[in-house]
Amino acid sequence: MCTLNAENSTKEGNTQGKGLNDGILFLLAMPFIIGAGVGILWYKKFRVKPQSKFL
């Protein structure tokens, strides 16, 4: 039903279908952005810094 309405609205010149697509892409991107943020924080917290040989 949503697909049919989105297709019909774009054929008639409305931009509601574009907004629907933007919303879907936003919802799809959020888990990847959150996962990347957690990965960066995890990397920074558990990174082992090299010890100097001369100290």
Side-chain angles (χ1 to χ4, degrees):
M1 186 171 169
C2 292
T3 306
L4 182 62
N5 286 333
E7 287 176 3
N8 288 336
S9 68
T10 56
K11 288 179 184 177
E12 296 171 6
N14 294 338
T15 59
Q16 292 173 347
K18 184 178 182 323
L20 184 63
N21 287 337
D22 291 343
I24 291 169
L25 289 176
F26 176 77
L27 290 173
L28 181 67
M30 280 295 113
F32 290 105
I33 292 171
I34 291 170
V38 169
I40 290 169
L41 290 174
W42 180 66
Y43 173 75
K44 287 187 175 195
K45 183 175 182 179
F46 292 108
R47 179 176 48 173
V48 177
K49 296 180 181 175
Q51 297 292 327
S52 177
K53 294 180 181 180
F54 299 109
L55 292 179

